[in-house]
Amino acid sequence: MQLNFAKSNGLVPAIVQDHRDGRVLMLGFMNEEAFEKTVSTGRVTFFSRTRNKLWIKGETSGHYLLLKRLEVDCDLDTVLVHAEAVGPGVCHEGYRSCFYRTLEAGDWKVTDKPTYDPAKVFGP
Amino acid sequence: MQLNFAKSNGLVPAIVQDHRDGRVLMLGFMNEEAFEKTVSTGRVTFFSRTRNKLWIKGETSGHYLLLKRLEVDCDLDTVLVHAEAVGPGVCHEGYRSCFYRTLEAGDWKVTDKPTYDPAKVFGP
C-alpha cells in the first residue's frame, strides 16, 4: 500500500500530533523523499513549498520532531505523525503549537501563551 | 486576519480533531465558501476535490461533524477543527477515524477496530 503522492502534485499533508497529550502541533507537506527520510532517520522531515527543498524540522532551531508513530488515512493521501517535540515550541512564532489562535466572534484571537522568544533562536 | 486561500489554489487543509479526547479523525480541504458555511451552520463542510463541489460531511451517512472550536496556524493556511462526531464513525470505510492504519515494519497495518458496517450506511 503506497502513499498517493500523485493526488496533490507529489505531496501529502502531514499532521503532527504530540505523542503524549495529542495536541496538534503543526501541518507540513511531505514528498516521497521527505517521507522516506522521516522513516529512516526518525527525524520528521518535510518538503518546504516556499523554499522548494527538503526541510528537516528543527535544523535551524534545534526544535526537532522525533518520530514515534506514523498513521495513514483511508485514501492513503494524508499521514498523521505522532512525535516528540524537542525544545519549547514547534512554531517559529514562539509557541508550543502553530495553532495558537482561535476564532472568536469572527476574529482570530491569540489563545495560547508563548513558550520561547523566537529572536533568541532565529536571530532578530 | 484572513485565511490564505491563495497558497493552495483556493483551498486550505482542515484537520478534524475530536473535541473530547483529541483523536484526529480526518483531514479535508475547505475553500472560502466551505469555511464560511462551517462557521455559519455549525456543520463542518469541506470542498470535495474529487467531486469538485461543497461537501457537508455527513450529508449521506448522517455522521455529521458539529463544530465546537476553530483554530488557525501561524501562516493562516491551515485550520484545526475541534468537532463532535455524530454517529459511530467519520471514515467511510467503517472506522471511527480515517487514520486506522499504522506503519509497522514498512507496511500499513490496520490497528483499529471497525465501528460500523459501511454497506448498511452507504448501500452495497
Side-chain angles (χ1 to χ4, degrees), chain B residues 42-108:
Chain B
R43 286 187 169 171
V44 179
T45 303
F46 301 107
F47 183 81
S48 168
R49 295 179 299 167
T50 45
R51 288 178 285 160
N52 203 39
K53 61 170 195 163
L54 276 199
W55 163 37
I56 302 166
K57 172 67 186 166
E59 62 192 345
T60 306
S61 63
H63 303 166
Y64 292 102
L65 291 168
L66 307 183
L67 176 65
K68 294 294 176 181
R69 192 154 53 92
L70 261 175
E71 293 178 311
V72 71
D73 76 340
C74 45
D75 295 332
L76 294 164
D77 61 10
T78 303
V79 294
L80 176 57
V81 182
H82 298 266
E84 177 187 336
V86 176
V90 158
C91 181
H92 73 291
E93 300 279 4
Y95 294 88
R96 180 184 167 206
S97 164
C98 291
F99 298 93
Y100 59 84
R101 285 175 296 198
T102 303
L103 192 67
E104 291 182 2
D107 263 331
W108 299 108

Side-chain angles (χ1 to χ4, degrees), chain A residues 8 49 70 73 101 103, chain B residues 1 8 49 70 73 101 103:
Chain A
S8 292
R49 295 179 299 168
L70 263 175
D73 76 340
R101 286 175 294 198
L103 193 67
Chain B
M1 285 185 293
S8 292
R49 295 179 299 167
L70 261 175
D73 76 340
R101 285 175 296 198
L103 192 67

Side-chain angles (χ1 to χ4, degrees), chain B residues 26-40:
Chain B
M26 65 174 291
L27 180 135
F29 287 85
M30 292 180 180
N31 62 3
E32 194 160 4
E33 189 183 0
F35 177 78
E36 285 170 2
K37 288 262 185 204
T38 297
V39 174
S40 65

Side-chain angles (χ1 to χ4, degrees), chain A residues 1-3 7-9 13 15 17 21-24 26-27 29 35 39 49-50 69-80 91-93 97-103 107-109 111, chain B residues 1-3 7-9 13 15 17 21-24 26-27 29 35 39 49-50 69-80 91-93 97-103 107-109 111:
Chain A
M1 286 185 293
Q2 294 295 307
L3 287 179
K7 198 164 173 181
S8 292
N9 300 315
I15 305 160
Q17 188 173 30
D21 67 0
R23 175 86 183 263
V24 174
M26 64 174 292
L27 181 134
F29 288 86
F35 177 78
V39 174
R49 295 179 299 168
T50 45
R69 192 154 52 93
L70 263 175
E71 293 179 310
V72 70
D73 76 340
C74 46
D75 295 331
L76 294 163
D77 61 10
T78 303
V79 294
L80 176 58
C91 182
H92 73 292
E93 301 280 4
S97 164
C98 292
F99 298 94
Y100 60 84
R101 286 175 294 198
T102 303
L103 193 67
D107 263 329
W108 298 109
K109 299 278 170 57
T111 47
Chain B
M1 285 185 293
Q2 294 295 307
L3 288 178
K7 198 164 174 182
S8 292
N9 300 315
I15 304 160
Q17 188 173 32
D21 67 1
R23 175 86 183 263
V24 173
M26 65 174 291
L27 180 135
F29 287 85
F35 177 78
V39 174
R49 295 179 299 167
T50 45
R69 192 154 53 92
L70 261 175
E71 293 178 311
V72 71
D73 76 340
C74 45
D75 295 332
L76 294 164
D77 61 10
T78 303
V79 294
L80 176 57
C91 181
H92 73 291
E93 300 279 4
S97 164
C98 291
F99 298 93
Y100 59 84
R101 285 175 296 198
T102 303
L103 192 67
D107 263 331
W108 299 108
K109 299 277 170 58
T111 46

Side-chain angles (χ1 to χ4, degrees), chain A residues 22-72:
Chain A
R23 175 86 183 263
V24 174
L25 301 174
M26 64 174 292
L27 181 134
F29 288 86
M30 292 180 179
N31 63 3
E32 193 160 5
E33 190 183 0
F35 177 78
E36 285 170 3
K37 287 263 186 203
T38 297
V39 174
S40 64
T41 67
R43 286 187 169 170
V44 178
T45 303
F46 301 107
F47 182 82
S48 167
R49 295 179 299 168
T50 45
R51 288 178 284 160
N52 203 40
K53 61 171 195 160
L54 277 199
W55 163 38
I56 301 166
K57 172 68 186 164
E59 61 191 345
T60 306
S61 63
H63 302 166
Y64 293 102
L65 292 168
L66 308 182
L67 177 65
K68 294 294 178 181
R69 192 154 52 93
L70 263 175
E71 293 179 310
V72 70

